[in-house]
Amino acid sequence: MQISAHAASNAYAATMQSAATGDDGVSDGISQSATGSDFGSVLSQAVSGAIQSGHSAESLAAQGISGGGDMTQIVTAVSQAQLALQTTTVVRDRMVQAYQDVMRMSI
């Protein structure tokens, strides 16, 4: 399965916006806008949001296994966590590639 960075970024942004507005009833801890003043803080907030999304999906899945919880919320939370992981992986790969490109440049 090929996922472009642009498509993953758009999908993740849409997921963040719907989660921040409470459309699905699952909060992943990401505010509506990234308030960081630099790239590092924005990236840190995105990673924190991905981690929080994973924790949320894990707790809802545990509730589902024990017979509680709404199946729609569980599936939505797991899908959001999967999308966050895919996006994080794409960003990491792009950053590694950019670093390797810079290191290959001649001075």
Side-chain angles (χ1 to χ4, degrees):
M1 177 175 169
Q2 288 286 350
I3 299 173
S4 71
H6 183 66
S9 175
N10 287 342
Y12 187 63
T15 301
M16 286 181 10
Q17 184 176 8
S18 70
T21 58
D23 290 344
D24 57 3
V26 178
S27 174
D28 64 356
I30 300 174
S31 63
Q32 280 185 323
S33 65
T35 59
S37 60
D38 61 357
F39 178 73
S41 63
V42 171
L43 189 59
S44 176
Q45 288 176 353
V47 169
S48 295
I51 291 169
Q52 181 62 30
S53 177
H55 289 305
S56 174
E58 192 173 302
S59 66
L60 284 174
Q63 287 177 1
I65 289 172
S66 66
D70 181 30
M71 189 57 69
T72 303
Q73 287 182 347
I74 294 169
V75 171
T76 302
V78 170
S79 295
Q80 286 178 344
Q82 181 182 12
L83 181 61
L85 179 62
Q86 289 173 346
T87 302
T88 303
T89 304
V90 168
V91 170
R92 181 209 58 200
D93 292 345
R94 294 293 176 138
M95 289 179 70
V96 168
Q97 182 64 41
Y99 174 78
Q100 290 173 345
D101 290 345
V102 167
M103 294 307 291
R104 277 184 273 191
M105 289 182 184
S106 62
I107 296 178

Coordinates of all heavy atoms in Angstrom, one line a residue:
M1 N 0.8 -1.2 0.0 CA 0.0 0.0 0.0 C 0.9 1.2 0.0 O 1.7 1.4 0.9 CB -0.9 0.0 1.2 CG -1.8 1.1 1.4 SD -2.8 0.8 2.8 CE -3.5 2.4 3.0
Q2 N 0.8 2.1 -1.0 CA 1.5 3.3 -1.1 C 0.7 4.5 -0.6 O -0.4 4.7 -1.0 CB 1.9 3.6 -2.6 CG 3.0 2.6 -3.1 CD 4.3 2.9 -2.5 OE1 4.5 4.0 -1.9 NE2 5.3 2.0 -2.7
I3 N 1.3 5.2 0.3 CA 0.7 6.4 0.8 C 1.6 7.6 0.6 O 2.8 7.6 1.0 CB 0.4 6.3 2.4 CG1 -0.5 5.1 2.6 CG2 -0.1 7.6 2.9 CD1 -0.7 4.8 4.1
S4 N 1.1 8.6 -0.1 CA 2.0 9.8 -0.3 C 1.9 10.6 0.9 O 1.0 10.6 1.7 CB 1.5 10.6 -1.5 OG 0.2 11.2 -1.2
A5 N 3.0 11.4 1.1 CA 3.1 12.3 2.3 C 2.0 13.3 2.3 O 1.4 13.6 3.3 CB 4.5 13.0 2.3
H6 N 1.7 13.8 1.1 CA 0.6 14.8 1.0 C -0.8 14.3 1.4 O -1.5 14.9 2.2 CB 0.6 15.4 -0.4 CG -0.4 16.5 -0.6 ND1 -0.3 17.7 0.0 CD2 -1.6 16.6 -1.3 CE1 -1.3 18.5 -0.3 NE2 -2.1 17.8 -1.1
A7 N -1.1 13.1 0.9 CA -2.3 12.4 1.2 C -2.4 12.1 2.7 O -3.5 12.3 3.3 CB -2.5 11.2 0.4
A8 N -1.3 11.6 3.3 CA -1.3 11.3 4.7 C -1.5 12.5 5.5 O -2.2 12.6 6.5 CB 0.0 10.6 5.1
S9 N -0.8 13.6 5.1 CA -0.9 14.9 5.9 C -2.3 15.4 5.8 O -2.8 15.9 6.9 CB 0.1 15.9 5.3 OG -0.1 17.1 5.9
N10 N -3.0 15.4 4.7 CA -4.3 15.9 4.5 C -5.3 15.0 5.4 O -6.2 15.5 6.1 CB -4.8 15.9 3.1 CG -4.1 17.0 2.3 OD1 -3.6 17.9 2.8 ND2 -4.1 16.8 1.0
A11 N -5.1 13.7 5.3 CA -6.0 12.8 6.1 C -5.8 13.0 7.6 O -6.7 13.1 8.4 CB -5.7 11.4 5.7
Y12 N -4.5 13.2 8.0 CA -4.3 13.4 9.4 C -4.8 14.8 9.9 O -5.4 14.9 11.0 CB -2.8 13.4 9.7 CG -2.4 13.4 11.1 CD1 -2.8 12.4 12.0 CD2 -1.7 14.4 11.7 CE1 -2.5 12.4 13.3 CE2 -1.3 14.5 13.0 CZ -1.8 13.5 13.8 OH -1.4 13.5 15.2
A13 N -4.7 15.8 9.1 CA -5.3 17.1 9.4 C -6.8 17.0 9.5 O -7.4 17.6 10.5 CB -4.9 18.1 8.4
A14 N -7.5 16.3 8.6 CA -8.9 16.1 8.7 C -9.3 15.4 10.0 O -10.3 15.7 10.7 CB -9.4 15.4 7.5
T15 N -8.5 14.4 10.3 CA -8.8 13.6 11.5 C -8.6 14.5 12.8 O -9.4 14.4 13.7 CB -7.9 12.4 11.6 OG1 -8.1 11.6 10.5 CG2 -8.1 11.5 12.8
M16 N -7.5 15.3 12.8 CA -7.3 16.1 13.9 C -8.4 17.1 14.1 O -8.8 17.4 15.2 CB -5.9 16.9 13.7 CG -4.7 16.0 13.9 SD -3.1 16.8 13.8 CE -3.4 18.5 13.7
Q17 N -8.9 17.7 13.0 CA -9.9 18.7 13.1 C -11.2 18.0 13.6 O -11.9 18.6 14.4 CB -10.2 19.3 11.7 CG -11.2 20.4 11.8 CD -11.4 21.1 10.4 OE1 -10.8 20.7 9.4 NE2 -12.1 22.2 10.4
S18 N -11.6 16.9 13.1 CA -12.8 16.2 13.5 C -12.7 15.8 15.0 O -13.7 15.9 15.7 CB -13.2 15.0 12.6 OG -12.3 14.0 12.8
A19 N -11.5 15.4 15.4 CA -11.4 15.0 16.8 C -11.4 16.2 17.7 O -11.9 16.1 18.8 CB -10.0 14.2 17.0
A20 N -10.8 17.3 17.3 CA -10.8 18.5 18.1 C -12.2 19.1 18.3 O -12.5 19.7 19.3 CB -9.9 19.5 17.5
T21 N -13.0 18.9 17.2 CA -14.4 19.5 17.3 C -15.4 18.5 18.0 O -16.5 18.8 18.3 CB -14.9 19.8 15.9 OG1 -14.9 18.7 15.1 CG2 -14.1 20.9 15.3
G22 N -14.9 17.3 18.2 CA -15.7 16.3 18.9 C -16.7 15.6 18.0 O -17.7 15.1 18.5
D23 N -16.5 15.5 16.7 CA -17.4 14.9 15.8 C -17.6 13.4 16.1 O -18.7 12.9 15.9 CB -16.9 15.0 14.4 CG -17.0 16.5 13.9 OD1 -17.7 17.3 14.6 OD2 -16.4 16.8 12.9
D24 N -16.6 12.7 16.6 CA -16.7 11.3 16.8 C -16.8 10.9 18.2 O -16.8 9.7 18.6 CB -15.5 10.6 16.1 CG -14.2 11.1 16.6 OD1 -14.2 11.9 17.6 OD2 -13.1 10.6 16.1
G25 N -16.7 11.8 19.2 CA -16.8 11.5 20.6 C -15.5 11.0 21.2 O -15.4 10.7 22.3
V26 N -14.4 11.0 20.4 CA -13.1 10.6 20.9 C -12.2 11.7 20.8 O -12.0 12.3 19.7 CB -12.6 9.4 20.0 CG1 -11.2 9.0 20.5 CG2 -13.5 8.2 20.0
S27 N -11.6 12.0 21.9 CA -10.6 13.1 21.9 C -9.2 12.6 21.9 O -8.9 11.7 22.7 CB -10.8 14.0 23.2 OG -9.8 15.0 23.3
D28 N -8.3 13.1 21.1 CA -7.0 12.6 21.1 C -6.0 13.6 21.6 O -4.8 13.5 21.5 CB -6.6 12.2 19.6 CG -6.5 13.4 18.7 OD1 -6.9 14.5 19.1 OD2 -6.1 13.2 17.5
G29 N -6.5 14.7 22.3 CA -5.6 15.6 23.0 C -4.9 16.6 22.1 O -4.0 17.3 22.5
I30 N -5.4 16.8 20.9 CA -4.8 17.8 20.0 C -5.7 19.0 19.9 O -6.9 18.8 19.6 CB -4.5 17.2 18.6 CG1 -3.6 16.0 18.7 CG2 -4.0 18.2 17.6 CD1 -3.5 15.2 17.4
S31 N -5.1 20.1 20.1 CA -5.9 21.4 19.9 C -6.2 21.6 18.5 O -5.6 21.1 17.6 CB -5.2 22.5 20.6 OG -4.0 22.8 19.9
Q32 N -7.2 22.5 18.2 CA -7.6 22.8 16.9 C -6.4 23.4 16.0 O -6.3 23.1 14.9 CB -8.7 23.8 16.8 CG -10.1 23.1 17.1 CD -11.2 24.1 17.0 OE1 -11.1 25.2 17.3 NE2 -12.3 23.6 16.5
S33 N -5.6 24.2 16.6 CA -4.5 24.7 15.9 C -3.2 24.5 16.6 O -3.2 24.5 17.8 CB -4.7 26.2 15.6 OG -4.6 26.9 16.8
A34 N -2.1 24.3 15.9 CA -0.8 24.1 16.5 C -0.3 25.5 17.0 O -0.2 26.4 16.1 CB 0.2 23.4 15.6
T35 N -0.1 25.7 18.2 CA 0.2 27.0 18.8 C 1.7 27.1 18.9 O 2.2 28.1 19.4 CB -0.4 27.2 20.1 OG1 0.0 26.2 21.0 CG2 -1.9 27.2 20.0
G36 N 2.5 26.2 18.4 CA 4.0 26.3 18.6 C 4.5 27.4 17.7 O 4.0 27.7 16.6
S37 N 5.6 28.0 18.1 CA 6.2 29.1 17.4 C 7.2 28.6 16.4 O 7.6 29.4 15.6 CB 6.8 30.1 18.4 OG 7.8 29.4 19.1
D38 N 7.7 27.4 16.5 CA 8.7 26.9 15.6 C 8.3 25.4 15.1 O 7.4 24.8 15.7 CB 10.1 26.9 16.1 CG 10.3 26.1 17.4 OD1 9.3 25.5 17.9 OD2 11.4 26.1 17.9
F39 N 9.1 24.9 14.2 CA 8.8 23.6 13.6 C 9.0 22.5 14.7 O 8.2 21.6 14.7 CB 9.8 23.4 12.5 CG 9.6 22.0 11.8 CD1 8.5 21.7 11.1 CD2 10.6 21.0 12.0 CE1 8.4 20.5 10.5 CE2 10.4 19.8 11.5 CZ 9.3 19.5 10.7
G40 N 10.0 22.7 15.5 CA 10.2 21.6 16.6 C 9.0 21.5 17.5 O 8.6 20.4 17.9
S41 N 8.4 22.6 17.9 CA 7.3 22.5 18.9 C 6.0 22.0 18.2 O 5.3 21.2 18.7 CB 7.0 23.8 19.5 OG 6.7 24.8 18.6
V42 N 5.9 22.3 16.9 CA 4.7 21.8 16.2 C 4.9 20.3 16.0 O 3.9 19.5 16.1 CB 4.6 22.5 14.8 CG1 3.5 21.8 13.9 CG2 4.2 24.0 15.0
L43 N 6.1 19.9 15.6 CA 6.3 18.5 15.5 C 6.2 17.7 16.8 O 5.6 16.6 16.8 CB 7.7 18.2 14.9 CG 8.1 16.8 14.5 CD1 7.2 16.4 13.4 CD2 9.5 16.8 14.0
S44 N 6.6 18.3 17.9 CA 6.5 17.7 19.2 C 5.0 17.5 19.5 O 4.6 16.5 20.1 CB 7.2 18.5 20.2 OG 6.9 18.0 21.5
Q45 N 4.2 18.5 19.2 CA 2.7 18.5 19.5 C 2.1 17.4 18.7 O 1.2 16.7 19.1 CB 2.1 19.8 19.3 CG 2.4 20.9 20.3 CD 1.8 22.2 19.9 OE1 1.2 22.4 18.9 NE2 1.9 23.1 20.9
A46 N 2.5 17.3 17.4 CA 1.9 16.2 16.5 C 2.3 14.8 17.0 O 1.4 13.9 17.0 CB 2.5 16.4 15.1
V47 N 3.5 14.6 17.5 CA 3.9 13.3 18.0 C 3.2 13.0 19.3 O 2.7 11.9 19.5 CB 5.4 13.3 18.2 CG1 5.8 12.0 19.0 CG2 6.2 13.3 16.9
S48 N 3.0 14.0 20.1 CA 2.2 13.8 21.4 C 0.8 13.5 21.1 O 0.2 12.6 21.7 CB 2.3 15.1 22.2 OG 3.6 15.4 22.7
G49 N 0.2 14.1 20.1 CA -1.1 13.8 19.6 C -1.2 12.4 19.1 O -2.2 11.7 19.4
A50 N -0.2 11.9 18.4 CA -0.2 10.6 17.8 C -0.2 9.5 19.0 O -0.8 8.5 19.0 CB 0.9 10.4 16.9
I51 N 0.7 9.9 20.0 CA 0.8 9.0 21.1 C -0.5 8.9 21.9 O -1.0 7.9 22.3 CB 2.0 9.4 22.0 CG1 3.3 9.2 21.3 CG2 2.0 8.7 23.4 CD1 4.5 9.8 22.0
Q52 N -1.1 10.1 22.1 CA -2.4 10.1 22.8 C -3.5 9.4 22.1 O -4.3 8.7 22.7 CB -2.8 11.6 23.1 CG -4.1 11.8 23.8 CD -4.0 11.2 25.2 OE1 -2.9 11.2 25.9 NE2 -5.1 10.7 25.8
S53 N -3.5 9.5 20.8 CA -4.4 8.8 19.9 C -4.3 7.3 20.1 O -5.3 6.5 20.2 CB -4.2 9.2 18.5 OG -5.1 8.5 17.7
G54 N -3.0 6.8 20.2 CA -2.8 5.4 20.4 C -3.3 4.9 21.8 O -3.9 3.9 21.9
H55 N -3.0 5.7 22.8 CA -3.5 5.4 24.1 C -5.0 5.4 24.2 O -5.6 4.5 24.8 CB -2.9 6.4 25.2 CG -1.5 6.3 25.4 ND1 -0.9 5.1 25.8 CD2 -0.5 7.2 25.3 CE1 0.4 5.3 25.9 NE2 0.7 6.5 25.7
S56 N -5.6 6.3 23.6 CA -7.1 6.4 23.6 C -7.7 5.1 22.9 O -8.6 4.5 23.4 CB -7.6 7.6 22.8 OG -9.0 7.6 22.7
A57 N -7.1 4.8 21.7 CA -7.6 3.6 21.0 C -7.3 2.3 21.8 O -8.2 1.4 21.9 CB -6.8 3.5 19.7
E58 N -6.2 2.3 22.5 CA -5.9 1.1 23.3 C -6.9 0.9 24.5 O -7.4 -0.2 24.8 CB -4.5 1.2 23.9 CG -4.0 0.0 24.5 CD -2.5 0.2 24.9 OE1 -1.7 0.5 24.0 OE2 -2.2 0.0 26.1
S59 N -7.2 2.0 25.1 CA -8.2 2.0 26.3 C -9.6 1.6 25.8 O -10.3 0.8 26.4 CB -8.2 3.3 27.1 OG -8.7 4.3 26.3
L60 N -10.0 2.2 24.6 CA -11.3 1.9 24.1 C -11.4 0.4 23.6 O -12.4 -0.2 23.8 CB -11.7 2.8 23.0 CG -12.1 4.2 23.4 CD1 -12.3 5.1 22.2 CD2 -13.4 4.2 24.2
A61 N -10.3 -0.1 23.1 CA -10.3 -1.5 22.6 C -10.4 -2.4 23.8 O -11.0 -3.4 23.8 CB -9.0 -1.8 21.8
A62 N -9.7 -2.0 24.9 CA -9.8 -2.8 26.1 C -11.2 -2.9 26.7 O -11.7 -3.9 27.1 CB -8.8 -2.3 27.2
Q63 N -11.9 -1.7 26.6 CA -13.3 -1.7 27.0 C -14.2 -2.6 26.1 O -15.1 -3.3 26.6 CB -13.8 -0.3 27.0 CG -13.3 0.7 28.0 CD -13.9 2.1 27.9 OE1 -14.6 2.4 26.9 NE2 -13.4 3.0 28.8
G64 N -13.9 -2.5 24.8 CA -14.6 -3.4 23.9 C -14.4 -4.8 24.1 O -15.4 -5.6 24.0
I65 N -13.2 -5.2 24.5 CA -12.9 -6.6 24.7 C -13.7 -7.1 26.0 O -14.2 -8.2 26.0 CB -11.4 -6.9 24.9 CG1 -10.7 -6.7 23.5 CG2 -11.1 -8.2 25.5 CD1 -9.2 -6.7 23.6
S66 N -13.8 -6.2 26.9 CA -14.5 -6.6 28.2 C -16.1 -6.5 28.0 O -16.8 -6.7 29.0 CB -14.1 -5.8 29.3 OG -14.4 -4.4 29.1
G67 N -16.5 -6.1 26.8 CA -18.0 -6.1 26.6 C -18.6 -4.7 26.7 O -19.8 -4.6 26.5
G68 N -17.8 -3.7 27.0 CA -18.4 -2.4 27.1 C -17.9 -1.5 25.9 O -17.2 -2.0 25.1
G69 N -18.4 -0.3 25.9 CA -18.0 0.6 24.9 C -18.8 0.5 23.6 O -19.5 -0.5 23.4
D70 N -18.8 1.6 22.9 CA -19.5 1.7 21.6 C -18.6 1.2 20.5 O -17.5 1.7 20.4 CB -20.0 3.1 21.4 CG -20.8 3.3 20.1 OD1 -21.4 2.3 19.7 OD2 -20.7 4.4 19.5
M71 N -19.1 0.3 19.7 CA -18.2 -0.3 18.6 C -17.8 0.8 17.6 O -16.7 0.8 17.2 CB -19.0 -1.4 17.9 CG -18.1 -2.2 17.0 SD -16.6 -2.9 17.7 CE -17.4 -4.2 18.7
T72 N -18.7 1.8 17.4 CA -18.3 2.8 16.4 C -17.2 3.6 16.9 O -16.2 4.0 16.2 CB -19.5 3.7 16.1 OG1 -20.6 2.9 15.7 CG2 -19.2 4.8 15.1
Q73 N -17.2 4.0 18.2 CA -16.1 4.8 18.8 C -14.8 4.0 18.8 O -13.7 4.5 18.6 CB -16.5 5.2 20.2 CG -17.5 6.3 20.3 CD -17.8 6.7 21.7 OE1 -17.4 6.0 22.7 NE2 -18.5 7.9 21.9
I74 N -14.9 2.7 19.1 CA -13.7 1.8 19.1 C -13.1 1.8 17.8 O -11.9 2.0 17.6 CB -14.1 0.4 19.6 CG1 -14.5 0.5 21.1 CG2 -12.9 -0.5 19.5 CD1 -15.1 -0.8 21.6
V75 N -13.9 1.5 16.7 CA -13.3 1.4 15.4 C -12.8 2.8 14.9 O -11.7 2.8 14.3 CB -14.4 0.9 14.4 CG1 -13.9 1.0 13.0 CG2 -14.8 -0.5 14.7
T76 N -13.4 3.9 15.3 CA -12.9 5.2 14.9 C -11.6 5.5 15.6 O -10.7 6.0 15.0 CB -14.0 6.3 15.3 OG1 -15.2 6.0 14.6 CG2 -13.5 7.7 14.9
A77 N -11.5 5.2 16.9 CA -10.3 5.5 17.6 C -9.1 4.6 17.1 O -8.0 5.1 16.9 CB -10.5 5.2 19.1
V78 N -9.4 3.4 16.8 CA -8.3 2.5 16.2 C -7.9 3.0 14.8 O -6.7 3.1 14.5 CB -8.8 1.0 16.2 CG1 -7.8 0.2 15.4 CG2 -8.9 0.5 17.6
S79 N -8.9 3.5 14.0 CA -8.5 4.0 12.7 C -7.7 5.3 12.8 O -6.8 5.5 12.0 CB -9.8 4.3 11.9 OG -10.5 3.1 11.6
Q80 N -8.1 6.1 13.8 CA -7.3 7.4 14.0 C -5.9 7.1 14.4 O -4.9 7.7 14.0 CB -8.0 8.3 15.0 CG -9.2 9.0 14.5 CD -9.9 9.8 15.6 OE1 -9.6 9.6 16.7 NE2 -10.8 10.7 15.1
A81 N -5.7 6.1 15.3 CA -4.4 5.7 15.8 C -3.6 5.1 14.6 O -2.4 5.4 14.5 CB -4.5 4.7 16.9
Q82 N -4.2 4.3 13.8 CA -3.5 3.8 12.6 C -3.1 4.9 11.7 O -1.9 4.9 11.2 CB -4.4 2.8 11.9 CG -3.7 2.2 10.7 CD -4.7 1.2 9.9 OE1 -5.9 1.2 10.2 NE2 -4.1 0.4 9.0
L83 N -3.9 5.9 11.4 CA -3.6 7.0 10.5 C -2.5 7.8 11.1 O -1.6 8.2 10.4 CB -4.8 7.8 10.3 CG -4.7 9.0 9.4 CD1 -4.2 8.6 8.0 CD2 -5.9 9.8 9.3
A84 N -2.5 8.0 12.4 CA -1.5 8.8 13.1 C -0.1 8.1 13.0 O 0.9 8.7 12.8 CB -1.8 9.0 14.6
L85 N -0.1 6.8 13.2 CA 1.1 6.0 13.0 C 1.6 6.1 11.6 O 2.8 6.2 11.4 CB 0.9 4.6 13.5 CG 2.1 3.6 13.4 CD1 3.2 4.1 14.3 CD2 1.7 2.2 13.7
Q86 N 0.8 5.9 10.6 CA 1.2 6.0 9.2 C 1.8 7.4 8.9 O 2.8 7.5 8.2 CB 0.0 5.7 8.3 CG -0.4 4.2 8.3 CD -1.7 4.0 7.5 OE1 -2.4 4.9 7.1 NE2 -1.9 2.7 7.2
T87 N 1.1 8.4 9.4 CA 1.6 9.8 9.1 C 2.9 10.0 9.8 O 3.8 10.6 9.2 CB 0.6 10.8 9.7 OG1 -0.7 10.6 9.0 CG2 1.0 12.2 9.4
T88 N 3.1 9.5 11.0 CA 4.4 9.7 11.7 C 5.5 8.9 11.0 O 6.6 9.5 10.9 CB 4.2 9.1 13.2 OG1 3.2 9.8 13.8 CG2 5.5 9.3 13.9
T89 N 5.2 7.8 10.5 CA 6.1 7.0 9.7 C 6.6 7.7 8.4 O 7.7 7.8 8.1 CB 5.6 5.6 9.4 OG1 5.2 5.0 10.6 CG2 6.6 4.8 8.7
V90 N 5.6 8.3 7.7 CA 5.9 9.0 6.5 C 6.7 10.2 6.8 O 7.7 10.5 6.1 CB 4.6 9.4 5.8 CG1 4.9 10.4 4.6 CG2 3.9 8.2 5.2
V91 N 6.4 11.0 7.8 CA 7.2 12.2 8.2 C 8.6 11.8 8.6 O 9.6 12.4 8.2 CB 6.5 13.0 9.4 CG1 7.4 14.0 9.9 CG2 5.2 13.6 8.9
R92 N 8.7 10.7 9.4 CA 10.1 10.2 9.7 C 10.9 9.8 8.5 O 12.1 10.2 8.4 CB 9.9 9.0 10.7 CG 11.3 8.5 11.1 CD 11.3 7.0 11.4 NE 10.9 6.2 10.2 CZ 10.5 5.0 10.3 NH1 10.4 4.4 11.4 NH2 10.2 4.4 9.2
D93 N 10.3 9.1 7.6 CA 11.0 8.7 6.4 C 11.4 9.9 5.6 O 12.5 9.9 5.0 CB 10.1 7.8 5.5 CG 9.9 6.4 6.2 OD1 10.6 6.1 7.2 OD2 9.0 5.7 5.7
R94 N 10.6 10.9 5.5 CA 10.9 12.1 4.7 C 12.0 12.9 5.4 O 12.9 13.5 4.7 CB 9.7 13.0 4.6 CG 8.6 12.5 3.7 CD 9.0 12.3 2.3 NE 8.0 11.7 1.5 CZ 7.7 12.1 0.3 NH1 8.3 13.1 -0.3 NH2 6.7 11.4 -0.4
M95 N 12.0 12.9 6.7 CA 13.1 13.7 7.4 C 14.4 12.9 7.3 O 15.4 13.6 7.1 CB 12.7 13.8 8.9 CG 11.5 14.8 9.1 SD 11.1 15.0 10.8 CE 12.5 15.8 11.5
V96 N 14.4 11.6 7.3 CA 15.6 10.9 7.2 C 16.2 11.1 5.7 O 17.4 11.3 5.5 CB 15.4 9.4 7.4 CG1 16.6 8.5 7.0 CG2 15.2 9.2 8.9
Q97 N 15.3 11.1 4.8 CA 15.7 11.3 3.4 C 16.2 12.7 3.2 O 17.3 12.8 2.5 CB 14.5 11.1 2.4 CG 14.8 11.2 1.0 CD 15.8 10.2 0.5 OE1 15.7 9.0 0.8 NE2 16.8 10.6 -0.3
A98 N 15.6 13.7 3.8 CA 16.1 15.1 3.7 C 17.5 15.2 4.4 O 18.4 15.8 3.8 CB 15.2 16.0 4.4
Y99 N 17.7 14.5 5.5 CA 19.0 14.5 6.2 C 20.1 13.9 5.3 O 21.2 14.4 5.1 CB 18.9 13.8 7.5 CG 20.2 13.6 8.2 CD1 20.8 14.7 8.9 CD2 20.9 12.4 8.2 CE1 22.0 14.6 9.5 CE2 22.1 12.3 8.8 CZ 22.7 13.3 9.4 OH 23.9 13.2 10.0
Q100 N 19.7 12.7 4.7 CA 20.7 12.1 3.8 C 21.0 12.9 2.6 O 22.2 12.9 2.2 CB 20.1 10.7 3.4 CG 20.1 9.7 4.5 CD 19.4 8.4 4.2 OE1 18.7 8.3 3.1 NE2 19.5 7.4 5.0
D101 N 20.0 13.6 2.1 CA 20.3 14.5 0.9 C 21.2 15.6 1.3 O 22.1 16.0 0.5 CB 19.0 15.1 0.4 CG 18.1 14.0 -0.3 OD1 18.6 12.9 -0.7 OD2 16.9 14.3 -0.5
V102 N 21.0 16.2 2.5 CA 21.9 17.3 2.9 C 23.3 16.8 3.1 O 24.3 17.4 2.8 CB 21.3 17.9 4.2 CG1 22.4 18.8 4.9 CG2 20.1 18.7 3.9
M103 N 23.4 15.6 3.7 CA 24.8 15.0 4.0 C 25.5 14.7 2.7 O 26.7 14.7 2.6 CB 24.7 13.8 4.8 CG 24.2 14.1 6.2 SD 25.1 15.3 7.1 CE 26.6 14.5 7.3
R104 N 24.8 14.4 1.6 CA 25.4 14.1 0.3 C 25.8 15.3 -0.5 O 26.6 15.3 -1.4 CB 24.5 13.3 -0.6 CG 24.5 11.8 -0.2 CD 23.6 11.1 -1.2 NE 22.3 11.1 -0.5 CZ 21.3 10.5 -0.9 NH1 21.3 9.7 -1.9 NH2 20.1 10.6 -0.2
M105 N 25.4 16.5 0.0 CA 25.7 17.7 -0.7 C 27.2 18.0 -0.6 O 27.8 17.8 0.5 CB 24.9 18.9 -0.2 CG 23.5 18.9 -0.6 SD 22.7 20.4 0.1 CE 21.0 20.1 -0.3
S106 N 27.8 18.5 -1.6 CA 29.2 19.0 -1.5 C 29.2 20.4 -1.1 O 28.4 21.2 -1.4 CB 29.9 18.7 -2.8 OG 29.3 19.5 -3.8
I107 N 30.3 20.7 -0.4 CA 30.4 22.1 0.2 C 31.2 22.9 -0.8 O 32.1 22.6 -1.4 CB 31.0 22.1 1.6 CG1 30.1 21.4 2.5 CG2 31.3 23.5 2.0 CD1 30.6 21.3 3.9

